[in-house]
Amino acid sequence: MSTKALDPAFQGVGQRLGTEIWRIENFQPVPLPKSDHGKFYMGDSYIVLQTTPGKGGAYLYDIHFWIGKDTSQDEAGTAAIKTVELDAVLGGRAVQHRELQGHESDKFLAYFRPCIIPLEGGVATGFKKAEEEAFETRLYVCRGKRVVRMKQVPFARSSLNHDDVFILDTENKIYQFNGANSNIQERAKALEVIQFLKEKYHDGTCNVAIVDDGKLDTESDSGEFWVLFGGFAPIGKKVASEDDIIPETTPAKLYSITDGEVKMVDGELSKGLLENNKCYLLDCGSEVFLWVGRVTQVEERKAASQAAEEFVVSQNRPKATRITRLIQGYETHSFKSNFDSWPAGSAAPGAEEGRGKVAALLKQQGVGLKGVAKSAPVNEEVPPLLEGDGKMEVWCINGSAKTPLPKEDIGKFYSGDCYIILYTYHSGDRKEDYLLCFWFGNDSIEEDQKMAARLANTMSNSLKGRPVQGRIFQGKEPPQFIALFQPMVILKGGLSSGYKNSLAEKGLPDVTCTADSIALLSISGTSVHNNKAVQVEAVATSLNPAECFLLQSGSSIFTWHGNQSTFEQQQLAARIAEFLKELL
């Protein structure tokens, strides 16, 4: 099928970087104006094209079709079919993703900051648009540390629990309810969402209130909040729902798709099984890949996409099961890693490629590296962040030993100490990759620095030399390193015995910041890449109108916003204040 026979709405697409969106209206894709990006109606289906730069000036394409929970089956099917047509216009090399409302991928949600908030109604369904109705009080549960997943829940006390963060959006005030067991990062993300709601739906004029679980003051915002729910009463435990079911990863099984019929393929998984005139389904449990041969026709690809949808339904898979479609020659590493045999030059560089990406992240700002083979490809065009679901472990050097930091202290550094950081993550295959760094505070002593390097080398050897190693100096942290901590706070002084002894020998005062100290922290960052707070001298001359500052005085924390500071800096200040409160 020639591109001339495809939908005219797709003419000229993919010629610029960024996001393009179409909504399915009367079974046809209609371009969505940029002012409506991020606005998704539950009764509709959408197609989202993300164009990013690739090597040699080429463009890379990801196509997502988003299915609202109230959309009709016919419209959802239209979105899937039109996605195949859009890919044909782009030369048949895009990676395609199915996104179900409430189960969107992190990749998709990252296009819309701070979040998407699905709205009741829809154009194609004939529902009334939300903004055409009188203001309605809404309760949302807010989840996610890197990206935010917002879900509207019934406005009732029974919806609340101790484990999540909730946002109650009323006409004159927006409340944030922090469950007692909720996560610090999720609380901070909720603040970003509240500011978004305030600016977009309240013209920036409504008040904002924070309500902490278990703290009731009838004369305060807490009292107002509970009155809206009919008065204070104990709330129940979190109740698991279908949406909370996490799909399990299972050993990969390969199926061929012929005329819409799915048949198991026997034998060891190898690239040789994949014929370029056919479509195949690779079932990995939590994700289902649809592989499309290069010489298949558009109609065959449409039928295969429909067969993949029906396969997931027939297997009674959870809604969160991913469906990803790949064209021959543009396979992702996560797909290739499931095959026992994939020709050298395709899969073999994969593990080293992941290490090369990490090396590229740390290459900035003079970070010393070791443990990367000279032949490893170092791709400078890397994602801005490492995989966000890794395991973080941090140790502080004390004499000849390393002391593990408790989880709540990870992200807090002292300028007089040295630290070892081990970040364990999966770079798309099933094996673990490691980032192993040692961080030197500006005031740390030489003995601690040498011990940190020695112990880190021992750890690397115990992991068979697989970690990429980095030596990082205070003030020279690459942004991707900072982003791992969310946030990173650097305080004066140190806790190691070597640092303390050095001060005593030199007759210098110990200025180590403690819970009882008066400490002023400067915040100049504007995003997760540079959200670092550094303690400065607690004097008025330290204040800068272009930055935000936090003042810790005993158990109290005060926020100061420079009149030239950005909204992002002010959000970051609120997030770091939450982090410090947990430490006091």
Side-chain angles (χ1 to χ4, degrees):
M1 183 184 290
S2 68
T3 56
K4 291 182 180 179
L6 302 178
D7 202 294
F10 295 144
Q11 290 184 2
V13 299
Q15 300 303 307
R16 64 180 187 274
L17 300 176
T19 308
E20 297 173 74
I21 304 179
W22 296 262
R23 177 170 51 209
I24 302 300
E25 299 182 14
N26 296 320
F27 308 108
Q28 295 298 322
V30 176
L32 204 65
K34 201 166 185 66
S35 58
D36 284 343
H37 284 198
K39 186 185 293 184
F40 292 85
Y41 286 95
M42 300 181 191
D44 288 332
S45 297
Y46 297 78
I47 298 173
V48 178
L49 168 64
Q50 186 71 13
T51 305
T52 54
K55 294 180 180 178
Y59 285 160
L60 301 177
Y61 301 111
D62 285 276
I63 307 174
H64 306 255
F65 56 102
W66 186 90
I67 309 298
K69 71 178 183 66
D70 297 324
T71 194
S72 70
Q73 189 172 352
D74 288 341
E75 280 192 349
T78 300
I81 290 171
K82 292 297 181 181
T83 294
V84 175
E85 292 187 12
L86 174 57
D87 178 47
V89 174
L90 297 170
R93 54 197 174 94
V95 178
Q96 297 177 25
H97 314 264
R98 182 187 70 156
E99 309 285 353
L100 294 184
Q101 179 187 333
H103 302 281
E104 297 88 353
S105 64
D106 286 1
K107 186 182 188 78
F108 178 79
L109 292 175
Y111 304 152
F112 308 98
R113 298 289 188 177
C115 67
I116 64 169
I117 302 179
L119 302 171
E120 294 281 355
V123 173
T125 59
F127 292 170
K128 209 173 185 182
K129 290 186 180 182
E131 59 262 38
E132 294 174 353
E133 302 173 350
F135 188 91
E136 177 187 348
T137 296
R138 290 183 171 90
L139 180 65
Y140 302 96
V141 61
C142 182
R143 295 171 180 155
K145 302 173 187 176
R146 296 284 187 191
V147 293
V148 179
R149 285 179 169 78
M150 290 284 287
K151 178 184 177 183
Q152 186 176 350
V153 294
F155 175 29
R157 186 190 295 110
S158 58
S159 295
L160 303 174
N161 63 63
H162 301 294
D163 299 314
D164 290 318
V165 179
F166 294 82
I167 294 174
L168 180 63
D169 187 11
T170 72
E171 190 164 9
N172 300 313
K173 184 178 285 191
I174 305 176
Y175 298 85
Q176 176 174 326
F177 176 79
N178 296 327
N181 303 324
S182 60
N183 183 280
I184 296 174
Q185 287 100 325
E186 289 184 337
R187 296 183 186 186
K189 285 291 184 182
L191 286 173
E192 296 178 21
V193 174
I194 285 176
Q195 190 63 36
F196 170 74
L197 292 173
K198 179 179 177 180
E199 297 295 332
K200 193 167 183 69
Y201 300 110
H202 297 269
D203 299 321
T205 58
C206 73
N207 294 319
V208 174
I210 307 296
V211 178
D212 289 319
D213 185 8
K215 297 179 181 179
L216 174 62
D217 182 349
T218 55
E219 301 300 321
S220 67
D221 295 323
S222 173
E224 291 180 4
F225 175 82
W226 286 111
V227 166
L228 294 171
F229 286 91
F232 177 80
I235 58 177
K237 293 182 179 180
K238 183 177 180 178
V239 178
S241 67
E242 182 185 359
D243 290 343
D244 296 316
I245 299 175
I246 300 175
E248 293 183 7
T249 300
T250 59
K253 296 178 182 178
L254 186 66
Y255 300 82
S256 64
I257 303 176
T258 306
D259 296 330
E261 188 176 349
V262 178
K263 291 184 178 180
M264 172 86 78
V265 177
D266 296 322
E268 177 183 312
L269 288 182
S270 67
K271 185 182 180 185
L273 293 174
L274 305 175
E275 300 178 29
N276 64 4
N277 62 344
K278 292 183 179 180
C279 297
Y280 294 85
L281 188 150
L282 185 68
D283 180 17
C284 301
S286 59
E287 184 167 16
V288 172
F289 294 95
L290 175 60
W291 185 91
V292 175
R294 189 178 293 144
V295 299
T296 53
Q297 300 299 309
V298 171
E299 292 305 318
E300 291 178 87
R301 298 178 183 185
K302 290 180 181 179
S305 294
Q306 183 63 34
E309 296 273 350
E310 293 172 354
F311 176 84
V312 170
V313 173
S314 69
Q315 297 290 313
N316 294 318
R317 296 290 169 80
K319 291 181 179 179
T321 303
R322 303 247 174 264
I323 298 179
T324 303
R325 202 214 71 164
L326 308 161
I327 190 73
Q328 180 183 0
Y330 294 89
E331 297 89 350
T332 61
H333 185 65
S334 57
F335 173 82
K336 292 187 288 188
S337 65
N338 292 288
F339 288 78
D340 298 322
S341 174
W342 198 278
S346 298
E352 203 62 357
E353 179 185 350
R355 292 161 57 79
K357 286 185 178 182
V358 178
L361 297 181
L362 294 177
K363 188 177 178 183
Q364 305 174 41
Q365 302 187 32
V367 177
L369 292 172
K370 63 183 289 190
V372 183
K374 290 183 179 178
S375 61
V378 177
N379 179 10
E380 296 294 344
E381 296 170 348
V382 294
L385 297 176
L386 292 176
E387 287 75 4
D389 297 325
K391 177 184 177 183
M392 174 74 75
E393 298 172 273
V394 181
W395 295 265
C396 180
I397 300 302
N398 192 10
S400 60
K402 63 184 192 297
T403 304
L405 292 190
K407 191 173 183 180
E408 61 270 16
D409 280 357
I410 290 179
K412 181 176 71 171
F413 294 80
Y414 285 96
S415 61
D417 288 336
C418 296
Y419 297 82
I420 296 175
I421 299 96
L422 176 63
Y423 187 66
T424 306
Y425 65 101
H426 294 268
S427 60
D429 60 11
R430 296 184 178 185
K431 292 184 179 179
E432 292 180 324
D433 280 331
Y434 305 95
L435 168 59
L436 181 61
C437 300
F438 38 102
W439 182 91
F440 296 161
N442 286 341
D443 301 320
S444 61
I445 62 173
E446 186 177 356
E447 289 82 358
D448 283 353
Q449 294 178 7
K450 290 180 178 178
M451 185 56 64
R454 188 177 308 142
L455 293 175
N457 193 52
T458 301
M459 292 175 66
S460 178
N461 291 338
S462 70
L463 294 169
K464 300 180 181 178
R466 289 175 57 201
V468 171
Q469 289 190 49
R471 181 181 60 180
I472 298 177
F473 293 92
Q474 180 182 339
K476 299 292 184 180
E477 300 90 355
Q480 290 80 6
F481 175 81
I482 297 173
L484 291 175
F485 293 96
Q486 300 295 305
M488 183 177 186
V489 177
I490 301 177
L491 303 173
K492 289 180 177 290
L495 303 178
S496 79
S497 57
Y499 173 77
K500 300 287 190 187
N501 293 336
S502 175
L503 291 180
E505 291 172 4
K506 297 175 182 178
L508 297 175
D510 188 350
V511 296
T512 300
C513 181
T514 66
D516 299 323
S517 301
I518 294 178
L520 182 67
L521 286 88
S522 167
I523 301 166
S524 55
T526 56
S527 73
V528 294
H529 295 78
N530 55 16
N531 61 354
K532 183 172 62 172
V534 180
Q535 186 180 351
V536 295
E537 293 296 324
V539 293
T541 52
S542 294
L543 298 176
N544 180 335
E547 298 180 356
C548 293
F549 291 80
L550 291 176
L551 178 66
Q552 173 192 309
S553 178
S555 59
S556 300
I557 295 178
F558 304 91
T559 306
W560 186 89
H561 294 167
N563 57 16
Q564 297 173 25
S565 63
T566 65
F567 167 62
E568 289 81 4
Q569 289 171 325
Q570 295 169 17
Q571 286 182 315
L572 180 55
R575 186 182 310 155
I576 294 176
E578 283 287 330
F579 177 71
L580 291 176
K581 284 179 184 177
E582 296 291 327
L583 300 178
L584 297 179

